[in-house]
Amino acid sequence: DADVTQTPRNRITKTGKRIMLECSQTKGHDRMYWYRQDPGLGLRLIYYSFDVKDINKGEISDGYSVSRQAQAKFSLSLESAIPNQTALYFCATSDWSSGSHEQYFGPGTRLTVT
Amino acid sequence: DAKTTQPTSMDCAEGRAANLPCNHSTISGNEYVYWYRQIHSQGPQYIIHGLKNNETNEMASLIITEDRKSSTLILPHATLRDTAVYYCIVRSRDTDKLIFGTGTRLQVFP
């Protein structure tokens, strides 16, 4: 969905490096999410944000941090990347203020930690 | 959130209806059934959701049994572009959390 963009789309980094994945949306949605997907598995929630001042941990937040810089931007950081954080990362948004709770996903970032 | 069970994989001929089943026998009264699909490592795409009644939109139909313990997603005229992993998810409308299982891999063949 072009309304949710993620940068970079692909990234290779070394163990111990800090890396930031960025997500931007033009949908005007209030809630944003970060998920990771490992090969052959479903998505797992890392963090989610109700609005700029409200951040919540998901099921696998250890080793990650997030920042909601504005309603339209939600960044995911790996402070010290490790190989088992190699995965496909997805950002998503939803519009709870309108009562519509569907989530809309970005195209994903493929991260490889060597 | 209730757990769902889906077949690992299914095949469907192009132009025919694809019927994807989902069991959710522990669903509670305030939980909805949602369907998403993921085409080859792209971001998941919302398809449809329902509570009790059958639902239809431009993409698909959702049939929920009267006891709500199972449902079927119907793609009425499958195309090759419908080849994807389809996820059936049960969740309360009060929660943000989408719990993705491993889904059903639908292969549409010519």
Side-chain angles (χ1 to χ4, degrees):
Chain A
D1 192 326
D3 297 322
V4 183
T5 57
Q6 293 183 232
T7 56
R9 294 294 312 280
N10 288 281
R11 180 73 182 266
I12 300 173
T13 192
K14 293 186 184 298
T15 298
K17 294 290 187 181
R18 182 177 188 275
I19 184 169
M20 179 182 289
L21 309 183
E22 302 199 21
C23 176
S24 294
Q25 53 123 343
T26 58
K27 298 178 83 68
H29 289 175
D30 50 342
R31 298 192 178 192
M32 297 186 73
Y33 312 81
W34 276 103
Y35 291 86
R36 70 175 275 176
Q37 185 174 33
D38 295 282
L41 300 180
L43 281 70
R44 292 183 291 166
L45 183 63
I46 306 172
Y47 271 97
Y48 58 110
S49 169
F50 292 162
D51 62 35
V52 174
K53 297 181 180 179
D54 194 342
I55 305 290
N56 301 276
K57 291 183 177 181
E59 60 180 308
I60 54 162
S61 59
D62 287 349
Y64 301 95
S65 63
V66 291
S67 173
R68 185 87 182 264
Q69 303 96 318
Q71 188 189 36
K73 295 185 182 296
F74 193 36
S75 300
L76 176 72
S77 293
L78 287 67
E79 296 301 325
S80 180
I82 56 177
N84 76 1
Q85 291 177 313
T86 293
L88 194 52
Y89 289 84
F90 291 103
C91 174
T93 71
S94 68
D95 184 12
W96 275 61
S97 60
S98 71
S100 168
H101 297 174
E102 295 78 49
Q103 292 186 17
Y104 296 88
F105 287 80
T109 294
R110 186 172 296 279
L111 177 66
T112 302
V113 183
T114 62
Chain B
D1 290 330
K3 186 175 178 179
T4 62
T5 304
Q6 299 177 253
T8 303
S9 64
M10 295 182 65
D11 291 338
C12 179
E14 189 176 20
R16 304 298 293 269
N19 296 281
L20 290 87
C22 180
N23 287 320
H24 31 78
S25 58
T26 59
I27 193 170
S28 60
N30 68 340
E31 289 180 321
Y32 288 68
V33 180
Y34 281 78
W35 284 84
Y36 282 77
R37 73 180 182 183
Q38 187 175 22
I39 299 173
H40 187 55
S41 297
Q42 296 177 21
Q45 177 188 23
Y46 164 79
I47 301 172
I48 198 168
H49 75 278
L51 181 64
K52 300 182 195 178
N53 300 322
N54 299 337
E55 302 288 345
T56 296
N57 63 21
E58 65 279 3
M59 290 183 68
S61 295
L62 174 61
I63 308 298
I64 303 174
T65 58
E66 193 168 342
D67 64 7
R68 303 211 318 126
K69 292 184 177 182
S70 65
S71 59
T72 301
L73 178 74
I74 301 172
L75 308 178
H77 305 287
T79 72
L80 298 178
R81 287 177 293 185
D82 291 321
T83 292
V85 177
Y86 287 77
Y87 296 98
C88 170
I89 300 167
V90 171
R91 74 163 193 182
S92 165
R93 291 274 279 183
D94 297 329
T95 179
D96 284 84
K97 298 177 183 178
L98 287 176
I99 299 176
F100 287 82
T102 53
T104 296
R105 184 172 298 277
L106 175 69
Q107 179 70 53
V108 180
F109 57 91

